[in-house]
Amino acid sequence: MWVDTFFFYLFALVTLAGGVLTVTRRNAVHSAMSLILSLIGVAGLFLLQRAEFLFAVQIVLYVGGIMVLFLFVIMLVNLDQAARMRQFSGQWWLALACVLAVAAQIVYVLSRGSGAFRFARPEPPARGGNVELVADVLFKQYLLPFELASVLLLAAIVGSVIMARKRI
Amino acid sequence: MKFLELVWLIPLIPLAGAALMLVLGRLLDPQPPSEVAAAPGVAPAASGHGVAHRIGQHGHSAARSVISLLCPGTVFVSLLLSLGAVWELAALPGRTYEVVKFTWVAGLPFFTQSGALARFTADWGFLLDPLSSVMILVVTGVGFLIHVYSVGYMGHEGGYYRFFGYLNLFVFFMLMLVLANNYLLMFVGWEGVGLCSYLLIGFYFHKKSAADAGKKAFVMNRVGDAGFILGMLLMFSVFGSVRFREVNEALASGRFAAETAGLGVLSAIALLLFLGATGKSAQFPLYTWLPDAMEGPTPVSALIHAATMVTAGVYMVARSHLLFRLTPEASTVVAVIGAFTAILAASIALVQNDIKRVLAYSTVSQLGYMFMACGVGAYWVAIFHLYTHAFFKALLFLGSGSVIHALGGEQDMRRMGGLKDKIPVTYRTMVVGALAISGIPGFAGFFSKDEILWQIYSSPHGSKVIYLVALVTAGMTAFYMWRLIFMTFHGSPRTDPQTLAHVHESPPVMTVPLVALAVGSALAGWIGVPKLWAFLPESFRAFEHWLAPTLSAPALRASEHAHEAATEWLLMGVSVAVALAGIGLARHLYLARPERVQALRQAAGPLYTVLANKWYVDEIYDAVFVNGLGKGGGSALARFDNRIVDGGVNGAGWMTRLTSTLSIWWDTWIVDGAVRLLSFLVKAASFPVRVLHTGSVQAYALVIVLGAAVLFTWYLVR
Amino acid sequence: MSEHLLSIVLFTPLAGMLILLLIPSGRTGLIRLWANIAGFAGFAVSLPLLWRFDKNASGFQLVERYEWIPSLGARYIVGIDGISLLLVMLTTLIGALAILSSWSAIQEKVKQYYAMFLLQQTGMLGVFLALDFFLFFVFWEVVLVPMYFIIGVWGGPRKLYAAIKFFLYTLAGSVLMLLGILTLYFQHFRQYGFYTFEIAELMKLDLPLGLQQWVFWAFFIGFAIKVPMFPFHTWLPDAHVEAPTAGSVILASILLKMGTYGFLRFSLPLLPKASIDPLIVKILVGLSLVAIIYGALVSLMQQDWKKLVAYSSVSHLGFCTLGIFALNPNGLAGSVIQQINHGISTGMLFLIVGIAYERRHTREIAEYGGLAHVMPKYATVFAIAMLSSAGLPLLNGFIGEFTILQGAFEANRVWAALAATGVILGAAYLLWLYQRTMLGQVTNPKNLHLPDLNLRELAVFLPLIAWALWIGVYPKPYFEVLEKPVTQIVERVRPDYFRKAPVPAAAPLEVLR
Amino acid sequence: MSEFYTSVDHFALVPALMLALFGCAVLLFDFFVFPAPRQRKWLILFLALGIGFAALGLVRQYMFLSSEGLAEFTAFRGALTIDGFAIFFNGIFLAASLIVALVSYRYLEIEGEHHGEYYGLILLANCGMYFLATGTDLVTLFVGLELMAVCFYIMVGFLRFDKRSNEAAIKYLLLGAFSSGFLAYGFSVMYGLAGSTRLGDITAALAARSAWDPLVFLALATTAVGLFFKVSVVPFHMWAPDAYEGAPTTVTAYLSVASKAASFAFLVRIFLGPLISAREVWQPLLAAVAVATLTVGNLAAVTQTNVKRLLAYSSISHAGYVLLGLVAGNPTGIKGIAVYLLVYTFMNLGAFLVLVALRRRDILGEELEDLSGLMHKSPVHAVLMLIFLLSLAGIPPTAGFIAKYYIFWALIQAREYVLAAIAAAYVAVAIYYYFRIVRSMFVSEAADREPLASSFGLRLALGVTGLLTVAIGVYPEPWLALAQNSVLLR
Amino acid sequence: MLHPVTTTHYLVLSAALLAIGTIGVLARRNIVVILMAIELILNAVNINLIAFSRHLGHVHGQVFAIFVITVAVAEAAVGLGILIALFRTRATVQADEINLLKW
């Protein structure tokens, strides 16, 4: 039990620290690196929650895929100049206050309603590995969104291509 | 019965003439294009000649002759029809003939005060009874003579067709007024004559004063009319009808007790009607329009503002005599107002120099007499005076018109004098008129005026105070009338020689009516001689007998002969003496000792030089110069008229303007202002809302988060 | 054909407009001609109504009903009673004359102008014919748009301001009115289980006083702005002053009547309890009296000819609303007659202003004076119009005013007395106007050579003058036509009114001998 | 067909399938079959075919439902529900897509950005919308929403060399992604509460809890943020004016009607589905939001000079009206939403189409002055614009009146008199700014002499929208009957 | 000292991550970083989903999370594409410098 607890706090710390660093680093590349840290933390949490498949997806897709994309763009748009400029918008203090307020409110609301989620239930009897389970659900229950997601990705690809290409 | 059945035609024939004139008259009487009346300096070079002088040399075209024949002709036909109808009426048992042609206002049901369901209706119905028969004869008879006179008088004027059109229209409305069988239809005539008066006063509409006078007349009349309307409404609500017959039946039924104490609903009706009458008949306080109305052509003054229209109020009160008899308080008001007006107007007439204004005030004064008679319950006498007055006042006006005509438009008596030989016919007929109005025995005015005085004195509703007032007024009347005669016809000519050289007697078309009216003024009174003159047969008292079916009131007759014959003789003597004294004083001041006038001017002049307003100085100077200190009261009254009464009217006008200005201000700034404010606020609010959209995507995101925060806060606060 | 008479009357102008749209814009002569033909046709097809109408029948006549939007319960129902008959005839006649009067006044965008006019004509007729609240509302709103354009495109210098003010004001009112309509509609559903807009059905509603009051005020806003009653009147002078002549004529003669008609047709019968609520009556009568006196006083002060006439409308319409809320037969009948009268006489007055404006392009009263010398026919026509407006007996205005006063008097004497002052003031401002413009000397050299009325212009006035005389001399047919509907309204609003005494079979004061 | 993909599933999917297939086909054909710019018009034909087939599928679904007397049927184990509501809204989307596609050809030519992908994106976006209207599963809805959104992000930024278009796209994207994060958060909470992503299960689970349960509110609030953003109601509307102004006008038209209609369909599904048990919580909330929306939308529009932006604000205010239908919460209100959106689609499209026609070489045609004197230049366009504006304002006998009418009716029925009065009052404000456009068109003098852009597609589209705007106003019955079937609430 | 980790812990963590992401969106000027912050938000959602999934004892939540990741990918791709286009025309990626469209 305590191992879980320890790792939870560890990953939580990594996640939050990564997040904080992401939004505070001056250099966009550093931000991206911090984001990777945070994503890995989240991946760890996935693992803790017995979502192995998702852990893999998180590492491969997110850390491997999306972050590369980000880094590409960072290189492409040449953020050196940007890095020398002011990093925070003029409204940051207001934003901070607001966000903290909203966060506090959400947490308060959660705490009032937390009775619903106090303890994790015992795991269901395993009828196979996590991947099988996910696959089963994905293709039985969520076949439609799955197909739809492909269309979404197609649209995204087409879109980013259109946007990014220089002439026609 | 043939003529009686045609009674509805009596008004219609003049209407036909009017319609013809107003629609086609322009074709018959073309106006040269150059006759545009333009203000000085505005007139185009081509037009050149003067403004007010629309006297052209094209006067007697063949077409004009048609008009000249046609318009008086229609009135003449009406006169004949009237005579026929009256002749037949005399033979009818009740001397009443009523015919309804069709329903006019056919309104819906309503509830009277007593809860009965009535209908708001009025007919096109005609009532010929002795009262209206007198009136139609006066209207058509005098009207015809004046029409004839106008042919000569207006012969050189532009707008000839228009003039006769209006005149015929007037006759139509006046006949409607007197022939109507209900108040509402009477009101048609009532308003109609007011309209014609307006049109005819403003006949010389290029003169601002004329147009102003017309408007003043109309608006003042309207004030009275509002009273009349409310009176009718009250009548509807009390009796459920405004038909004379039904109203009178209701009144006679005994359902309404005489309102001897306090003011009841009948008094209210009576007073409201009387308010109408004061407007139409130029009684205090609504009389100031009448002197101004002299801006109109003289025949108009004679017909409308002397003989007929202004007497409509008297006719109406006489028509409502049952009502007034039941409301002694209201009758007292009538008498007092009449007396006050009579003496007020007479005193003003003392100082006037405009020949027509003298006559105008005189008319107001004489109308006051008639109301006094009505007020004391002597309705037939009022009508009798109305009838005699029609003759001599029309005569005097026409005569003055003849004078003015002869002098080429001059109206100021100070620039007349010595005309008696130049225009002898006019002179002689006017003297007859003056004798009549002064109440010299034998002439028409004597009989009616003396009877009024006697009735005021003797009637149970009469009063000695009013009698005294009336007597003084009689003296003043004699004075100013003879002052007029002396200043105009006697003494040395004060006219400038050039004009004097052209003075000539009017053509026969004008003098014949004068003579006819003079005959009337002399003889018309002999059908109403006093009962005192028992030596004369009853046929000399035909007037009262003729009117008796309409105006009799048996209940009130008993006390009539309570006074001794000696008193009556004495009073008759007093009144004649007063009249003679007035004439004598006038002769003394204006004929025998004109230099006394000069002396008085010297003596009293400084008193008035302090007045800043020159016009008032002149007025009062003249008053002192002419009348001496003894008549100072008259000038004070003149001032009262000019300052207070007119001032009141002007003040009301000023107040009205002020209110109007305030209203506009209110409209612009408050009512509209609220709207503008709203629209301004909408626009103003637009900016902060827009400014929120700074273009910064993060600000937008912040607003989203803020929105979320508000959602949560709302939830948590609840 | 004849069973569709009302539809034919209603849609003839619209058909005329559609055909007009096919004419190329360049051919202005043809457009004018066709517009006049269409306008006259609109009048001509309405004439059969006069003899097809049975004044002795109660209820609505010549009714046509078709399903229109069953989902909403909205139907196409048209029909007339005496009140609408008169207003329809007024609309068709004034409409035709207004089109005729525009012949030379409108020189640009001719086609659009006439198209708007004809469209508006259908809209107004629809308002007076509709017996379904939804249909009514549709037509009510349809009227707004053409009038907006007529003011906004062909108007005077401040036309845009005036047009949008007109539009916004009336729209704001009518939207609130819509809420009132919906409330009735919904209440009907609650009581009877189906949705309908049919007036006859809605009249069956039995609503508590409180609700009626709310709905009454909602209606009031809509109608009072249209009338316009006192505090809502400020759009009127602006709209009138800026509108082209024919626009003013239509606006004054017909459009304003939509408000009073609304009160008569909807407020009173549908909300009887609220309509006799003492407070509501007091307020409405108070506003009417204020309008009468206030409109007259403001008229007295105007320097602008057209504005004067516009304010006089406020005063005259005050009489109309006073008559309505006297809530007795004579008040109501007088009000309807006065609406017609106002249509005739104020229409004429606006035409008169328009003629002067067309010749001189100014409406400052001070610019005129002495026109009677130059334009005698014009002066005569003006005199008649003025007298008719001032309520001179034998002309139409008197009948209406007097009947209203009678009604008001029956309800409360003080009201009548106050309203009577309006009669005096009415004469004052009109005469003053007449004097300042027509009488006196020609003070402005520009006025010296103004042409008098031509035949076309005379042709515009003659029917109106004839009508004014007819109502003035023989108004009986009007009262007869109005008797049934007015009695119905009174019985609806004050069920005990006629129970006080039996209604006599005929007029108690019959012709004697 | 297998147990995972039954014939019913297929039947339910056909329209989306057609849209996706033809979308892909257009994308492919753009590369391989019609590479030359002149040939791209054939792509419109393909698009039309795709929409036609999709429509056919819808019609068949409709026939099936009515012949079987069913209110609805589900497919994909409850992930899709085909009911009157879905069919009605899908009809709207298809119509909007087709009309937009018809007018885009000429417009994009002028903009110099005519690419075949555009038509593919329209179809794919429409595909996403299909799932917003039919989806009854959180995941399906979410992915459908994103599909639509992504397509719109791209289309808004389609003028790649136009600064304003770029800006609009990036703003829209950032805020869209941000808000969909909230939406997803809300969905996750719903899922957590119900243990299922099917709306039916969630409805049941939430109904078991009290309306004021904190977690329900958490789900409600965060979901609402995402939904409100999509339908652009205050205060989540800030993106709309910018995106509308910067986007190509055709896209603005599409965005303002189809996206809004789809988002409303989505919103209605959520609020009247899972969140129905918390109605007492969201009703006042929605009322406040609706009033704020009316206020901001109308007030901000008053002083705009850019017509696109003006119409953007006006469309915000229209969202307020639609929301009021939901606030009323009765069948009339829901039907009112359907009717409103139907009508709004045509009238708002029409108004934007006139702006499209005004876009000529060197003339943007967006400013108020550009509309000056349109009456002289092209009376047909001016009159059509007038009709659209009158309809937007809600003046009978145009369709907009029927739409507003339903909203008022619903409010009166719900006895929300105050809300009704407020909504009514804003009609007057709306008139004010719409008539600024009218004034420009009819009263002012023309600013330029350049004739309006025109093409067969544009004329056809204008004709259809204009005709429908009038027709629905004059004889709304058949359309109301269609909407009648769409009432979710029983 | 260490309480057992409950679902609530995950939820609070998620809320915190959400807050951090939101701050990033609101406060950072660099659009690339804003996009990263959005990724954080979506990750917060995923934490939620996984926690619930575990809590409820089935994998639906995990599947949902997969879709969320997909969406995140799509958004990032398109976002970065648009960003590049924007950078071409404006030569900046600072959020508050992109304000041609306003008011």
Side-chain angles (χ1 to χ4, degrees), chain D residues 443-486:
Chain D
V443 182
S444 312
E445 292 305 311
D448 60 80
R449 286 272 141 226
E450 186 88 7
L452 265 65
S454 182
S455 68
F456 173 72
L458 193 53
R459 284 195 297 270
L460 183 66
L462 272 171
V464 168
T465 48
L467 189 70
L468 284 176
T469 306
V470 175
I472 299 178
V474 173
Y475 189 58
E477 187 54 29
W479 307 89
L480 301 183
L482 274 182
Q484 184 67 46
N485 294 323
S486 71

Side-chain angles (χ1 to χ4, degrees), chain A residues 113 140 142 162-163 165-166, chain D residues 4 157 160-161 197-198 215:
Chain A
K140 276 185 182 160
Y142 296 102
I162 297 173
M163 285 296 138
R165 72 187 162 182
K166 281 201 162 164
Chain D
F4 305 119
R160 287 171 307 137
F161 301 99
T197 56
R198 300 286 189 254
L215 288 174

Side-chain angles (χ1 to χ4, degrees), chain E residues 3 5 7 13 19 23 27 29 32 38 41-42 49 51 57 59 66-67 74-75 84-86 103:
Chain E
H3 296 288
V5 176
T7 308
L13 172 65
I23 290 174
R29 297 175 70 219
V32 181
I38 290 171
I41 294 174
L42 289 175
L49 286 170
V59 294
I66 294 173
F67 286 107
E75 279 178 352
I84 288 169
L86 178 77
W103 296 322

Side-chain angles (χ1 to χ4, degrees), chain C residues 60-79:
Chain C
F60 291 96
Q61 304 182 31
L62 304 170
V63 176
E64 295 172 41
R65 51 185 305 146
Y66 305 99
E67 285 297 327
W68 176 26
I69 316 175
S71 327
L72 303 183
R75 295 186 179 83
Y76 173 83
I77 314 175
V78 291

Side-chain angles (χ1 to χ4, degrees), chain A residues 106 109-110 113 116-117 139-145 148 151-152 154-155 158-159 162-163 165-168, chain D residues 4 13 24 27 77 80 115 117 124 131 137 139-140 144 146-147 154 157 160-161 197-198 209 214-215 218:
Chain A
I106 290 178
V109 166
L110 275 173
F117 306 122
F139 293 112
K140 276 185 182 160
Q141 299 271 321
Y142 296 102
L143 178 64
L144 180 63
L148 195 51
V151 183
L152 170 64
L154 173 70
V158 171
I162 297 173
M163 285 296 138
R165 72 187 162 182
K166 281 201 162 164
R167 263 286 164 207
I168 307 300
Chain D
F4 305 119
L13 197 61
C24 295
L27 290 176
R77 304 179 183 224
L80 282 190
H115 308 299
E117 292 92 342
L124 293 184
F131 292 101
D137 177 277
V139 180
T140 313
E146 285 304 319
L147 173 57
I154 301 161
R160 287 171 307 137
F161 301 99
T197 56
R198 300 286 189 254
R209 292 170 164 270
L215 288 174
L218 183 63

Side-chain angles (χ1 to χ4, degrees), chain B residues 437-490:
Chain B
I437 195 173
S438 308
I440 301 303
F443 291 91
F446 165 75
F447 297 104
S448 55
K449 183 185 280 184
D450 201 58
E451 189 62 29
I452 289 176
L453 287 170
W454 169 241
Q455 290 286 354
I456 293 170
Y457 185 83
S458 67
S459 157
H461 302 289
S463 125
K464 307 291 179 287
V465 178
I466 293 181
Y467 174 76
L468 272 180
V469 172
L471 196 63
V472 172
T473 308
M476 288 177 176
T477 307
F479 175 81
Y480 64 68
M481 224 40 248
W482 286 93
R483 168 175 171 265
L484 183 149
I485 296 287
F486 294 137
M487 280 183 82
T488 309
F489 294 106
H490 293 263

Side-chain angles (χ1 to χ4, degrees), chain D residues 38-109:
Chain D
R38 298 297 303 163
Q39 293 170 323
R40 291 205 182 101
K41 67 179 78 159
W42 296 109
L43 294 176
I44 300 178
L45 192 65
F46 264 86
L47 177 138
L49 269 179
I51 287 176
F53 281 118
L56 203 63
L58 280 186
V59 169
R60 287 187 57 216
Q61 289 174 353
Y62 181 76
M63 306 281 270
F64 174 73
L65 279 180
S66 50
S67 67
E68 297 290 312
L70 290 174
E72 58 177 36
F73 70 89
T74 57
F76 291 104
R77 304 179 183 224
L80 282 190
T81 303
I82 307 295
D83 51 11
F85 181 84
I87 294 172
F88 183 84
F89 275 94
N90 278 318
I92 294 179
F93 307 149
L94 290 177
S97 300
L98 185 61
I99 290 172
V100 168
L102 279 177
V103 301
S104 296
Y105 173 71
R106 176 100 183 123
Y107 181 81
L108 292 177
E109 290 270 278

Side-chain angles (χ1 to χ4, degrees), chain C residues 36-63:
Chain C
N36 279 288
I37 290 171
F40 183 75
F43 174 59
V45 296
S46 71
L47 283 174
L49 291 179
L50 292 178
W51 53 86
R52 295 261 302 160
F53 185 83
D54 177 7
K55 66 189 178 205
N56 296 318
S58 56
F60 291 96
Q61 304 182 31
L62 304 170
V63 176

